[in-house]
Amino acid sequence: MAMASVLQQIMIPVYQPHFGGREKEYVNQCLDSTWISSKGEFIRRFESGFAEYIGAEHVTTACNGTAAIHLALLAIGVGPGDEVIVPTLTYIASVNTIMQTGAEPVFVDSLKSSWQTDPEDIKRKITAKTKAIMAVHLYGLPCDMDAITAIAKEHGLFLIEDCAEAFGSRYKGQHVGTFGDVAAFSFFGNKTITTGEGGMVVAKNQHIIGNAYHLKTQGVSPTREYWHDVVAYNYRMTNLCAAIGLAQLEQADEILGKKRRIAEWYQQGLAGLPLQTHEELPDTVHAFWMCSVAVDDAKSRQPLRKHLKQAGIETRPFFYPAHSLPHCGNAQSFPVAESLSARGINLPSYPGLDRQDVALIIDTIHGFFESAST
Ligand SMILES: *Cc1c(COP(=O)(O)O)cnc(C)c1O
């Protein structure tokens, strides 16, 4: 027993945030000034700094990424009777928020090459009820935005981007979140930049961001006190969170640079093994939120994870495809997403990993396949 628990102690987690800047200083400024709630200068500074970093016109903070997606959907008027096209291989928040509006998620499969939303399958799933397409930039690699924006335009559909995993991701030089009508980012503790819990809504036009702002602030009138004209929410971010976010934003390039180097170490070290790494594609900048592999043989996925765990290395399996979850019950088949979901592993991916950590992980993976083949 004691032996087993020692062996299974995690030494290298999948993620931990990198606080190398002015986080403490800014949080202390909030405390000293007593502005710890959702008013205060850091909200404004974080919003304007974020908008500038990604090249967005209009943004507003939210209390988490899920709330940001919910606001994004509501801000473009998604509701009962509508269908929203969404990849089945995504985190559940993309799907639950669609259902929370009263609309129906219509699932699409993924591409084998990039693991991202398959544009051809989007075309097949468009009906008279389709209101919007939600593109999810899974694990930090952008979707094929030329294809997806063209489909949305041709069919007169709204385009939403779930950029929760894609801070720092670019397509043809343009930061994701600026292609669609509206987009959402997450700043959860394991996201590329974090505020603990937090999110951001991004929109192309002032009207949409105005709707999102109205809905996140209880639908209160800007001119008449305690006058509310809609069923709305308290989805505001606190000044404390924004203070952390601003400090994180100041280190964005450094954090992204460290993550890119880690991804390169993995790619070099894992070459030749019976698995696929998540490669950057031409015309994209992969932010490598997660460094992931899909093993060739699904049967080796759990044994490999167990082998890594015994060496103190934490991993995560890929998401279950949403269509297979009980409350989304959908009997259709999505062969690529199902296969990826059964074969995928997220490896430790946090910016503080050094060369030795990554070398240990790579050696442990090599050790697994060597012992499996003898
Ligand atoms: C993390 C994540 C979210 C939700 O963000 P929270 O801040 O945890 O609410 C939504 N979509 C995707 C794809 C995510 O990875």
Side-chain angles (χ1 to χ4, degrees):
M1 270 300 280
M3 191 65 181
S5 64
V6 167
L7 278 175
Q8 301 210 343
Q9 210 169 19
I10 295 298
M11 295 180 305
I12 305 182
V14 166
Y15 220 88
Q16 59 190 33
H18 172 83
F19 297 136
R22 304 174 75 176
E23 287 87 352
K24 271 190 193 162
E25 180 189 331
Y26 289 165
V27 167
N28 279 328
Q29 280 181 34
C30 294
L31 292 167
D32 291 343
S33 68
T34 77
W35 290 97
I36 59 168
S37 201
S38 56
K39 285 184 180 153
E41 59 156 330
F42 287 110
I43 301 277
R44 195 177 28 77
R45 289 173 67 189
F46 181 43
E47 287 175 343
S48 63
F50 187 87
E52 192 185 336
Y53 190 87
I54 72 161
E57 206 71 26
H58 307 285
V59 307
T60 192
T61 44
C63 56
N64 59 58
T66 306
I69 304 173
H70 194 200
L71 289 170
L73 288 160
L74 294 171
I76 56 168
V78 171
D82 294 331
E83 293 176 353
V84 178
I85 294 177
V86 62
T88 185
L89 191 62
T90 184
Y91 181 58
I92 192 60
S94 321
V95 177
N96 276 347
T97 48
I98 294 170
M99 293 170 116
Q100 283 157 7
T101 68
E104 194 188 324
V106 172
F107 297 112
V108 293
D109 208 351
S110 312
L111 292 168
K112 258 186 202 161
S113 51
S114 63
W115 310 351
Q116 306 302 323
T117 316
D118 178 352
E120 290 305 315
D121 204 25
I122 295 178
K123 287 187 198 162
R124 284 192 286 270
K125 300 291 167 66
I126 293 173
T127 72
K129 290 183 178 172
T130 309
K131 174 108 175 188
I133 300 167
M134 188 188 293
V136 182
H137 309 292
L138 193 72
Y139 302 136
L141 183 65
C143 295
D144 180 346
M145 294 316 284
D146 276 351
I148 295 173
T149 50
I151 297 167
K153 202 168 165 196
E154 188 189 331
H155 294 268
L157 303 173
F158 285 106
L159 177 57
I160 304 162
E161 296 179 76
D162 178 345
C163 303
E165 305 183 354
F167 178 79
S169 306
R170 290 171 192 272
Y171 182 82
K172 296 192 172 169
Q174 185 179 338
H175 200 291
V176 299
T178 60
F179 291 88
D181 300 284
V182 66
F185 287 80
S186 164
F187 310 119
F188 184 64
N190 69 4
K191 297 291 161 74
T192 298
I193 61 167
T194 182
T195 62
E197 294 273 6
M200 190 78 80
V201 185
V202 174
K204 273 218 179 97
N205 81 49
Q206 176 59 46
H207 176 68
I208 291 176
I209 214 72
N211 288 346
Y213 182 83
H214 190 62
L215 288 162
K216 85 167 186 186
T217 53
Q218 309 278 22
V220 71
S221 162
T223 52
R224 192 170 167 191
E225 287 166 285
Y226 296 115
W227 186 258
H228 310 265
D229 60 1
V230 65
V231 177
Y233 307 87
N234 174 2
Y235 277 173
R236 295 179 296 247
M237 177 182 272
T238 65
N239 201 40
L240 283 164
C241 288
I244 299 171
L246 180 64
Q248 290 272 287
L249 198 57
E250 290 168 352
Q251 303 159 80
D253 290 340
E254 182 197 333
I255 291 171
L256 288 164
K258 285 178 188 285
K259 288 169 72 72
R260 167 166 291 271
R261 205 169 45 163
I262 292 161
E264 284 165 5
W265 291 335
Y266 276 127
Q267 267 151 16
Q268 287 158 13
L270 297 174
L273 291 174
L275 53 77
Q276 179 192 354
T277 52
H278 197 201
E279 303 282 334
E280 190 166 66
L281 296 174
D283 288 334
T284 71
V285 174
H286 191 330
F288 296 107
W289 172 56
M290 283 289 162
C291 295
S292 309
V293 297
V295 293
D296 291 351
D297 179 0
K299 284 198 292 295
S300 64
R301 196 261 299 266
Q302 290 307 95
L304 172 55
R305 293 190 62 217
K306 190 170 164 213
H307 182 79
L308 286 161
K309 188 178 177 191
Q310 279 164 353
I313 299 159
E314 186 191 27
T315 61
R316 294 275 162 80
F318 279 14
F319 305 122
Y320 286 103
H323 74 273
S324 70
L325 297 172
H327 70 296
C328 303
N330 182 317
Q332 280 179 285
S333 117
F334 299 84
V336 178
E338 285 161 21
S339 167
L340 285 168
S341 169
R343 295 184 295 113
I345 302 176
N346 301 129
L347 299 171
S349 304
Y350 57 94
L353 285 166
D354 63 23
R355 178 114 225 187
Q356 269 108 336
D357 298 325
V358 178
L360 172 70
I361 299 163
I362 290 167
D363 286 349
T364 309
I365 296 173
H366 275 273
F368 172 81
F369 285 110
E370 276 153 27
S371 63
S373 66
T374 52

